[in-house]
């Protein structure tokens, strides 16, 4: 069955360092992968989308890589700040037909805490 | 742009009653909306896909008679939890998007507590 694993439940880093979060998947051939941020008691907020034919995407301090051979995505936050503390979710999507079309499957999330 | 509004944000109800949650796309039309459920420290679990003007598509294991979904217009979908029980207590979140592979725009969720 399809499985998505985010490297760890929690990640603690010091302000100014780069946070690296991992998303691994098995038994899946996603057409695209998305990263979301979720704050406690709130709905997720979209951050970045990367498609299967793209290796890397950047947006300000954020960078996402997508390796379909390793079946892995890395999410980096450079020059991290305490305000970056949140849960980060990866989500995989398929363009396959039928009931899977456009459906997103989420990982369990990684809680990032950036200490001042 | 692409704002999704969800109400109520919190609701406490007694066992056996029904609760309706509304999800509105404020500045775009959404032919498809998605309803998720999230338990503490767990990921989002898709419950059903709500299609405007037609029946919702439910995920395996989700009781369609218990979680009634109505998508009456291009900007409104509702989820009604019927005959709620304590095990239905959870965080329910709706989402919508502007295209098939576009990002999801989420509402802020509804914390349901059934006593």
């Amino acid at each position: 069955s399809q499985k998505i694993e985010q490297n760890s439940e929690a990640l603690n880093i010091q302000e100014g360092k780069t946070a690296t979060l991992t998303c691994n998947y098995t038994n899946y051939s996603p057409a695209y992968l998305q990263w979301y941020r979720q704050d406690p008691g709130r709905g997720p907020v979209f951050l970045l989308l990367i498609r299967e034919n793209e290796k890397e995407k950047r947006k300000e301090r954020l960078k996402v890589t997508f390796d379909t051979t390793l079946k892995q995505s890395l999410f980096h936050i450079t020059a991290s700040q305490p305000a970056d503390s949140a849960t980060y979710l990866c989500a995989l999507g398929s363009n396959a037909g039928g009931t899977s079309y456009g459906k997103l499957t989420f990982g369990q999330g990684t809680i990032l805490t950036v200490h001042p | 742009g692409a704002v999704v509004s969800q109400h109520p944000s919190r609701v406490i109800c007694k066992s056996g009653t029904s609760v309706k949650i509304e999800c509105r796309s404020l500045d775009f039309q959404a032919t498809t909306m998605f309803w998720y459920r999230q338990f503490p420290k767990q990921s989002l679990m898709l419950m059903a896909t709500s299609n405007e003007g037609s029946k919702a598509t439910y995920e395996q294991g989700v009781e369609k008679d218990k979680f009634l979904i109505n998508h009456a217009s291009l900007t409104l979908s509702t989820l009604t939890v019927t005959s709620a029980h304590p095990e239905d207590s959870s965080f329910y979140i709706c989402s919508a998007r502007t295209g098939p592979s576009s990002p999801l725009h989420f509402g802020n969720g509804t914390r349901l507590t059934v006593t």
Side-chain angles (χ1 to χ4, degrees), chain A residues 9 24-25 30 33 35 41 45-46 57 60 62 64 66 71 82 85 93-94 104 114:
Chain A
E9 186 177 321
N24 295 296
Y25 58 93
L33 187 149
W35 283 88
V45 174
F46 169 75
K57 270 281 185 70
E60 298 173 353
L62 309 180
V64 172
F66 194 9
K71 295 185 181 297
S85 299
S94 170
L104 279 183
V114 181

Side-chain angles (χ1 to χ4, degrees), chain B residues 17-67:
Chain B
T17 61
S18 295
V19 173
K20 180 185 281 189
I21 303 169
E22 288 191 353
C23 180
R24 294 180 186 272
S25 55
L26 296 186
D27 49 1
F28 67 102
Q29 293 184 332
T31 55
T32 303
M33 290 185 175
F34 302 89
W35 287 95
Y36 289 85
R37 182 173 180 175
Q38 188 175 35
F39 291 104
K41 295 190 176 182
Q42 292 189 27
S43 188
L44 297 158
M45 297 301 297
L46 180 64
M47 297 175 65
T49 303
S50 171
N51 304 296
E52 188 267 335
S54 64
K55 291 183 179 180
T57 304
Y58 290 82
E59 294 300 301
Q60 193 172 12
V62 178
E63 299 175 59
K64 62 180 181 181
D65 294 330
K66 180 166 188 62
F67 298 100

Side-chain angles (χ1 to χ4, degrees), chain B residues 13-17 83-86 114-115:
Chain B
C13 70
K14 292 189 175 180
S15 188
T17 61
S83 186
H85 291 284
V114 185
T115 60

Side-chain angles (χ1 to χ4, degrees), chain B residues 53-101:
Chain B
S54 64
K55 291 183 179 180
T57 304
Y58 290 82
E59 294 300 301
Q60 193 172 12
V62 178
E63 299 175 59
K64 62 180 181 181
D65 294 330
K66 180 166 188 62
F67 298 100
L68 299 178
I69 291 173
N70 184 282
H71 196 150
S73 76
L74 286 171
T75 59
L76 173 64
S77 175
T78 61
L79 169 67
T80 301
V81 183
T82 62
S83 186
H85 291 284
E87 57 265 30
D88 297 324
S89 298
S90 188
F91 191 51
Y92 293 87
I93 317 176
C94 72
S95 67
R97 60 186 175 201
T98 55
S101 62

Side-chain angles (χ1 to χ4, degrees), chain A residues 20-23 35 63-67 72-76:
Chain A
T20 299
L21 286 66
T22 305
C23 178
W35 283 88
K63 185 178 85 172
V64 172
T65 62
F66 194 9
D67 190 325
Q72 180 182 80
S73 175
L74 299 179
F75 177 77
H76 306 273

Side-chain angles (χ1 to χ4, degrees), chain A residues 25-106:
Chain A
Y25 58 93
T26 55
N27 297 323
Y28 205 118
S29 295
Y32 53 91
L33 187 149
Q34 301 177 10
W35 283 88
Y36 290 81
R37 167 184 174 141
Q38 185 176 22
D39 291 286
R42 307 293 290 260
V45 174
F46 169 75
L47 296 175
L48 281 169
L49 178 153
I50 187 166
R51 301 188 188 278
E52 60 178 335
N53 59 349
E54 298 175 315
K55 295 290 186 185
E56 182 179 298
K57 270 281 185 70
R58 290 175 184 262
K59 179 182 176 183
E60 298 173 353
R61 294 185 296 113
L62 309 180
K63 185 178 85 172
V64 172
T65 62
F66 194 9
D67 190 325
T68 56
T69 301
L70 290 178
K71 295 185 181 297
Q72 180 182 80
S73 175
L74 299 179
F75 177 77
H76 306 273
I77 304 175
T78 58
S80 60
Q81 305 164 1
D84 295 326
S85 299
T87 296
Y88 290 85
L89 303 164
C90 70
L92 278 63
S94 170
N95 286 337
T99 57
S100 298
Y101 185 74
K103 189 183 294 186
L104 279 183
T105 304
F106 283 83

